[in-house]
Amino acid sequence: MTDHQEDAEKFLLAAKRAEIQTLEHLAGSCELVIRVSDLVHQLQRERGMSNIYLVSAGDHFREQRSSQIQNCLSSEGRFRHVLRERYLKDGHSERVHNMRLLNCIAYSLHGLDELRILRDHIAAFEISALESTDAYCRLIAGLLSVVLEAADVADDPEVTRILVALFNFMQAKEFSGQERAWGAIGFAGSRFDESLHERIRQLQVCQRQSVDVFLEYAGETDTAQWKSIEQSQPSRDLQRLREVIAGLKDGEPIAAEISEVWYQLASARIDAMHGLEDALTEQLLKVSRKRVSGAQSELGQHYAQLQRMKSMDWNRLPTLAVLFDPQLPGLYGGRASAGVSTLHGQPLAHSLYGLIRSQVEHIQRVSAELEETRKTLVERKLVARAKGLLMKSLRMSEDDAYRTMQQRAMDMNLKLVDIAQRIVDASVEKRPASVKTTSATVTDGEHGANI
Amino acid sequence: MTDHQEDAEKFLLAAKRAEIQTLEHLAGSCELVIRVSDLVHQLQRERGMSNIYLVSAGDHFREQRSSQIQNCLSSEGRFRHVLRERYLKDGHSERVHNMRLLNCIAYSLHGLDELRILRDHIAAFEISALESTDAYCRLIAGLLSVVLEAADVADDPEVTRILVALFNFMQAKEFSGQERAWGAIGFAGSRFDESLHERIRQLQVCQRQSVDVFLEYAGETDTAQWKSIEQSQPSRDLQRLREVIAGLKDGEPIAAEISEVWYQLASARIDAMHGLEDALTEQLLKVSRKRVSGAQSELGQHYAQLQRMKSMDWNRLPTLAVLFDPQLPGLYGGRASAGVSTLHGQPLAHSLYGLIRSQVEHIQRVSAELEETRKTLVERKLVARAKGLLMKSLRMSEDDAYRTMQQRAMDMNLKLVDIAQRIVDASVEKRPASVKTTSATVTDGEHGANI
């Protein structure tokens, strides 16, 4: 046994340790996501109450708003505590964190700092309900992007699956929260004009679409829980109020008192959604911790097996296993070479190569699953990018850019993501051709090199 | 100024430091890639010499082979040294490395351990030239996959561009090396049978395709250097010998002495290719180091700007910049709110928010560029996966699986990657529907949350 062979062993173990560290890191991110989920929930409530307070000129929800602000501050405190423990403590400086995640956090924290001023403006009626709602929406969007970034760097298929389900469900809930907020503005102001109608309709469509993606990634229990929320009394009562809104003519007056009923029904449903969110975050913690302990015990088994191999002298000689394994093809033209594998006849399972080989298979399986689960995230980014390009090049508003894409997709009978791809491709073609990437086809090269 | 606002600042700086660490890490990976490039080059030479040695029963290349083995051992020593310094030294244990990269390294190191035995078998003529070639091909494929993994985790668009160019060029060179090896077998054995003809033809196609992708990603100087290689005397002489081979009938005898001429012409061209490879790795080092120092100076500017802000009292109050920035839309329905931005009239450029905002834009730009450059890598993985599925489900050999896909792509007038996507989709649909991901469409959710 040479020093050299020790190298291969050391890297085999280092790979397993790297997996453990990545999974531990991920488990930590899941804890952060839980804090975000709670803070978003509290901010959504504060947003709705602030609207009613503003539109009713302080007649309604004065006390509720004050105590909700306290809830938000507590939740914010817990969020900041996790952040400091996780990212700013000494000794963590060695660990390389994700730049995009950290910048999303900086953005959200700055938004939370500004929230303190926003609250003063709201208390003094220096800002309209519409403006206030927009501000809360931006803050919450920033916090949701923290969850999106966490999902993006997750390196485990099952954890990524739950994160994608959770993120889409959090979005559905945010759309519900926005519907609650805009509805509250309409009721409290005793009228729904055409643009408010349209906005509420759009938010209902968005909710359904986010829920659809959630359901694709959700487990059976979560799906059942969602169905029971949909069939609950508050959801059905809310549906009736939605129909009342939809039936109102442009600007037709309606009793302002309904605003609190609306708020309470919408809140009952949103609180139930928050319950499902909690169930998802609990799974997230459980699964991510299980992954860590699973990888740790695999590392233990690797150690034990290497020890056993060292006690058996014939196993310490390297064999020609790797170089003649017909299942690991060369770059081109790997051939089954059955005759040669008899050069050394020792059992593969008990060799170092057996361990490396099983780890190769483990990584291939995990990577393939992960890539599939991540598809949605990649598509999401593509659509966001296409939307940004339209906003920039055609000077469209965000709404218009989005609706234009959706309309084109319907007209052309394509998926939204295909339309997005075309927009991005077209914009790349227009750029100077210093780096041409869109037309890049894949060469024979992938033929092999795929250990 | 509250403690809280310090949090936002700290995360802004932490994000920049994370970028620096990631770039430093990347610069280290580039050094590893350079070692791999050299080792692959030496192994390619050893492979070709070993073939001539084997086929000529030791008449040719006995000494050259011995001294080439010494070159390989030196190069291997430098490769192992970089690996130990980079991954196994104390103090590096805190840094989370990439599991896939480490496992590729373990695989390659184990292959290098086996190479020692392979050499003994070759010296004693206990193995055929074909078997020996296959073994070297597997080892080199393993080493190339180290480069592929390094490109896959690279987080900088320009570095990724060079890595993709380099990887494709290394593949082209490996196909050339395999052509040299199989050609040497044919000449030294004084005959080319039909399967050898077919293999050499395929290798020439593969070379051209890899070079095409390389040229898409290459800079002007590299493109020019490639053209001058193609027009050089050895390349043109080699082309004539290729035509001689192509003109030979199945099994028609040819003078064995040509094998050394073939080997030398092919080697002259491959050595010139290695020169271009060196130019690429040099760029890689230069660019990756420049990125590190660039990010470091940006961090310095951030510090200085934050210090200046602290000395100006009016800048220390958080403003309502984030929450009312119309360019950062909410999750749904961000609206331009021009009236509100006058609440505080301080210049954006000198605020904390100005810094966060510019960093958001920096990250968006880098991520978008990166995603485009990575497209080839994603496609490569997809094709490799589809090929693996065909090999498994239809019990096809690697060659057959690949050719089947290529043929279908031609028949259907589709890109290879589209065929691969269909194969993967079809196989996913056949699996139990526990996690359905393929049909996942994107919801309205990407509409916003894109800071």
Side-chain angles (χ1 to χ4, degrees):
Chain A
M1 178 128 182
T2 62
D3 273 3
H4 285 159
Q5 195 183 354
E6 297 272 4
D7 278 357
E9 278 185 31
K10 281 176 191 157
F11 275 90
L12 172 77
L13 295 173
K16 202 75 208 172
R17 274 194 295 268
E19 185 182 32
I20 293 171
Q21 285 176 310
T22 307
L23 289 169
E24 278 171 348
H25 195 76
L26 182 55
S29 298
C30 291
E31 279 166 44
L32 177 64
V33 165
I34 292 173
R35 292 286 115 238
V36 171
S37 154
D38 183 62
L39 180 54
V40 165
H41 186 63
Q42 302 303 340
L43 288 169
Q44 285 165 337
R45 294 173 68 98
E46 185 183 326
R47 174 178 58 195
M49 290 177 183
S50 300
N51 278 345
I52 297 177
Y53 171 83
L54 281 171
V55 179
S56 69
D59 282 353
H60 296 282
F61 274 51
R62 186 180 291 269
E63 287 81 37
Q64 289 99 317
R65 178 176 170 266
S66 294
S67 76
Q68 184 54 30
I69 289 174
Q70 290 312 311
N71 290 340
C72 274
L73 290 173
S74 309
S75 180
E76 180 185 335
R78 290 189 296 270
F79 174 60
R80 287 184 187 267
H81 178 74
V82 171
L83 288 177
R84 288 203 199 101
E85 288 289 311
R86 187 162 160 67
Y87 298 103
L88 300 181
K89 263 205 164 172
D90 290 342
H92 284 226
S93 57
E94 273 300 304
R95 174 155 290 182
V96 178
H97 291 290
N98 179 277
M99 181 196 194
R100 283 175 300 159
L101 180 62
L102 292 175
N103 212 55
C104 280
I105 292 171
Y107 171 89
S108 294
L109 289 176
H110 195 57
L112 286 168
D113 291 333
E114 290 191 7
L115 179 60
R116 282 146 214 275
I117 310 169
L118 179 68
R119 284 178 182 137
D120 294 340
H121 288 301
I122 293 170
F125 305 105
E126 291 166 358
I127 188 170
S128 74
L130 287 113
E131 289 162 343
S132 161
T133 300
D134 275 344
Y136 279 100
C137 289
R138 289 204 176 85
L139 178 57
I140 290 168
L143 287 164
L144 286 178
S145 69
V146 172
V147 179
L148 185 63
E149 288 300 337
D152 199 29
V153 296
D155 233 344
D156 178 86
E158 177 69 0
V159 173
T160 303
R161 182 190 68 76
I162 303 174
L163 276 170
V164 171
L166 175 63
F167 177 74
N168 279 283
F169 195 73
M170 286 177 83
Q171 284 201 137
K173 179 164 165 279
E174 167 61 3
F175 292 130
S176 305
Q178 291 189 20
E179 185 196 8
R180 172 175 65 183
W182 294 112
I185 290 175
F187 280 119
S190 303
R191 47 184 294 148
F192 288 80
D193 62 18
E194 193 39 57
S195 78
L196 199 50
H197 271 308
E198 170 59 18
R199 171 157 294 204
I200 287 171
R201 261 197 305 274
Q202 275 293 331
L203 285 168
Q204 288 165 1
V205 172
C206 290
Q207 278 173 69
R208 276 196 298 276
Q209 289 176 331
S210 287
V211 166
D212 284 347
V213 178
F214 155 72
L215 288 173
E216 279 197 78
Y217 287 84
E220 277 178 32
T221 325
D222 306 317
T223 305
Q225 194 173 341
W226 169 246
K227 280 189 183 144
S228 85
I229 291 172
E230 278 295 74
Q231 286 152 12
S232 67
Q233 197 57 49
S235 290
R236 281 185 286 166
D237 291 344
L238 183 74
Q239 189 51 38
R240 269 191 289 276
L241 266 188
R242 282 171 166 176
E243 284 155 19
V244 169
I245 294 177
L248 289 173
K249 295 203 181 66
D250 189 358
E252 183 181 339
I254 184 162
E257 287 67 35
I258 304 183
S259 75
E260 285 190 44
V261 181
W262 165 264
Y263 186 80
Q264 264 137 22
L265 286 174
S267 297
R269 181 161 169 275
I270 290 172
D271 288 349
M273 287 176 85
H274 189 53
L276 176 43
E277 221 172 82
D278 284 343
L280 287 167
T281 54
E282 215 168 278
Q283 282 172 44
L284 201 56
L285 269 194
K286 219 173 90 185
V287 171
S288 62
R289 285 174 186 161
K290 210 177 100 191
R291 283 284 177 281
V292 173
S293 62
Q296 276 165 340
S297 86
E298 279 161 29
L299 178 62
Q301 286 162 17
H302 280 15
Y303 270 121
Q305 192 158 342
L306 290 171
Q307 284 309 315
R308 270 199 305 278
M309 278 160 50
K310 280 178 192 164
S311 67
M312 290 184 278
D313 202 48
W314 57 266
N315 262 321
R316 299 184 60 189
L317 279 168
T319 64
L320 284 176
V322 179
L323 297 183
F324 288 96
D325 183 346
Q327 294 200 54
L328 287 176
L331 190 62
Y332 177 78
R335 295 157 56 251
S337 35
V340 187
S341 59
T342 55
L343 274 174
H344 291 257
Q346 61 168 260
L348 185 67
H350 298 120
S351 66
L352 176 57
Y353 179 57
L355 275 182
I356 293 177
R357 182 63 204 272
S358 76
Q359 200 153 280
V360 167
E361 278 160 13
H362 168 72
I363 291 174
Q364 279 179 340
R365 202 171 46 244
V366 169
S367 304
E369 282 174 38
L370 193 59
E371 223 156 282
E372 259 175 55
T373 311
R374 277 212 183 134
K375 219 177 148 183
T376 304
L377 291 169
V378 173
E379 291 181 349
R380 174 179 309 285
K381 282 189 182 171
L382 193 66
V383 173
R385 213 174 131 210
K387 192 179 58 183
L389 286 169
L390 285 188
M391 287 168 75
K392 215 166 173 177
S393 61
L394 303 179
R395 307 229 157 254
M396 276 183 171
S397 75
E398 192 193 4
D399 282 18
D400 288 344
Y402 190 69
R403 267 183 229 149
T404 303
M405 282 164 59
Q406 232 178 5
Q407 193 58 51
R408 292 293 292 159
M410 271 200 285
D411 292 349
M412 298 173 73
N413 199 20
L414 285 171
K415 282 195 290 183
L416 189 61
V417 64
D418 295 325
I419 293 294
Q421 181 68 61
R422 286 170 188 222
I423 293 169
V424 170
D425 284 352
S427 97
V428 173
E429 275 155 28
K430 272 186 276 175
R431 280 193 296 162
S434 60
V435 184
K436 299 157 290 175
T437 54
T438 41
S439 60
T441 50
V442 177
T443 72
D444 278 353
E446 69 286 332
H447 193 58
N450 55 349
I451 66 158
Chain B
M1 177 123 183
T2 62
D3 273 2
H4 285 157
Q5 195 182 353
E6 297 271 5
D7 278 356
E9 278 184 32
K10 281 177 192 156
F11 275 91
L12 171 76
L13 296 173
K16 202 75 209 170
R17 274 194 296 267
E19 185 182 32
I20 293 171
Q21 285 176 311
T22 307
L23 289 168
E24 278 171 348
H25 194 76
L26 182 55
S29 297
C30 291
E31 280 167 44
L32 177 64
V33 165
I34 292 173
R35 293 285 117 238
V36 172
S37 154
D38 182 62
L39 180 54
V40 165
H41 185 63
Q42 301 303 339
L43 288 169
Q44 285 166 338
R45 294 172 67 97
E46 186 184 326
R47 175 179 56 195
M49 291 177 182
S50 301
N51 278 344
I52 297 177
Y53 172 84
L54 281 171
V55 179
S56 70
D59 283 351
H60 297 282
F61 274 51
R62 186 181 290 269
E63 288 79 37
Q64 289 99 318
R65 177 175 171 263
S66 294
S67 77
Q68 184 54 30
I69 288 175
Q70 290 313 309
N71 291 340
C72 274
L73 289 172
S74 309
S75 179
E76 180 186 335
R78 290 189 295 270
F79 174 60
R80 287 184 187 266
H81 178 74
V82 170
L83 288 178
R84 287 202 199 101
E85 288 290 312
R86 187 163 159 68
Y87 298 104
L88 300 181
K89 262 205 164 172
D90 291 342
H92 284 226
S93 57
E94 272 301 304
R95 175 153 291 181
V96 178
H97 291 290
N98 180 276
M99 181 195 194
R100 284 175 300 160
L101 180 61
L102 292 175
N103 212 56
C104 280
I105 292 170
Y107 171 88
S108 294
L109 289 176
H110 195 58
L112 287 168
D113 291 334
E114 291 191 5
L115 179 59
R116 282 146 214 274
I117 310 170
L118 179 68
R119 284 179 182 135
D120 294 340
H121 289 300
I122 292 169
F125 304 105
E126 292 166 358
I127 189 170
S128 74
L130 286 113
E131 288 162 344
S132 162
T133 300
D134 275 344
Y136 279 99
C137 288
R138 289 205 177 86
L139 178 56
I140 290 168
L143 287 164
L144 285 177
S145 70
V146 172
V147 180
L148 185 64
E149 287 301 336
D152 198 31
V153 297
D155 233 343
D156 179 86
E158 177 69 359
V159 173
T160 302
R161 180 190 70 75
I162 303 173
L163 276 170
V164 171
L166 174 64
F167 177 74
N168 279 283
F169 194 73
M170 286 177 82
Q171 284 200 135
K173 179 164 164 279
E174 167 60 3
F175 292 130
S176 306
Q178 291 188 21
E179 186 196 7
R180 173 176 64 184
W182 295 112
I185 290 175
F187 281 118
S190 301
R191 48 183 293 150
F192 288 81
D193 62 17
E194 193 40 57
S195 79
L196 199 50
H197 271 308
E198 169 60 18
R199 171 156 295 204
I200 287 172
R201 262 197 305 275
Q202 274 293 330
L203 284 167
Q204 289 166 359
V205 172
C206 290
Q207 279 174 68
R208 275 196 300 276
Q209 288 176 334
S210 287
V211 166
D212 285 346
V213 178
F214 154 73
L215 288 173
E216 280 198 76
Y217 287 84
E220 276 177 31
T221 326
D222 306 317
T223 305
Q225 195 173 342
W226 169 248
K227 281 188 182 145
S228 86
I229 291 173
E230 279 294 75
Q231 286 153 11
S232 67
Q233 196 59 49
S235 290
R236 281 186 284 168
D237 291 343
L238 183 74
Q239 189 53 38
R240 269 191 289 277
L241 266 188
R242 281 172 167 176
E243 284 156 20
V244 169
I245 293 178
L248 289 173
K249 295 206 181 65
D250 189 358
E252 183 180 340
I254 185 161
E257 287 66 35
I258 304 183
S259 74
E260 283 190 44
V261 181
W262 164 263
Y263 186 82
Q264 264 137 23
L265 286 174
S267 297
R269 181 162 168 273
I270 290 171
D271 288 348
M273 287 176 85
H274 189 54
L276 176 43
E277 220 173 84
D278 284 342
L280 286 167
T281 54
E282 214 168 280
Q283 282 173 44
L284 201 56
L285 268 195
K286 218 174 91 185
V287 170
S288 63
R289 284 174 185 159
K290 209 177 99 191
R291 284 282 178 281
V292 172
S293 63
Q296 276 165 341
S297 87
E298 279 160 29
L299 178 62
Q301 287 162 16
H302 280 16
Y303 270 121
Q305 191 158 343
L306 289 172
Q307 283 309 314
R308 272 199 304 278
M309 278 159 51
K310 280 180 191 165
S311 68
M312 290 183 280
D313 202 48
W314 57 268
N315 261 322
R316 300 185 58 191
L317 280 168
T319 63
L320 284 176
V322 179
L323 297 183
F324 289 96
D325 183 347
Q327 293 201 55
L328 287 176
L331 189 61
Y332 178 80
R335 296 157 55 251
S337 36
V340 187
S341 59
T342 56
L343 274 173
H344 291 256
Q346 59 168 262
L348 184 67
H350 299 119
S351 66
L352 175 58
Y353 178 58
L355 276 182
I356 293 178
R357 183 62 205 272
S358 74
Q359 200 152 281
V360 166
E361 279 160 12
H362 168 72
I363 291 173
Q364 279 180 341
R365 202 171 46 244
V366 169
S367 304
E369 282 175 39
L370 192 60
E371 221 155 284
E372 259 175 52
T373 311
R374 278 214 181 132
K375 219 177 146 181
T376 305
L377 291 169
V378 173
E379 292 181 349
R380 174 179 309 286
K381 282 190 182 170
L382 193 65
V383 173
R385 214 175 130 209
K387 192 180 58 181
L389 285 170
L390 285 188
M391 287 167 75
K392 214 167 173 177
S393 62
L394 302 180
R395 307 228 157 256
M396 277 182 172
S397 75
E398 193 193 3
D399 282 17
D400 288 343
Y402 189 69
R403 267 183 229 150
T404 303
M405 282 164 58
Q406 231 177 6
Q407 193 57 50
R408 291 293 292 159
M410 272 200 285
D411 292 349
M412 299 174 72
N413 198 19
L414 285 171
K415 282 195 289 183
L416 189 61
V417 65
D418 296 325
I419 293 294
Q421 182 68 62
R422 285 171 190 220
I423 293 168
V424 170
D425 285 352
S427 98
V428 173
E429 275 155 28
K430 272 187 277 175
R431 281 193 294 162
S434 59
V435 183
K436 300 157 289 177
T437 54
T438 41
S439 60
T441 51
V442 177
T443 72
D444 277 353
E446 70 287 331
H447 193 59
N450 54 349
I451 67 159

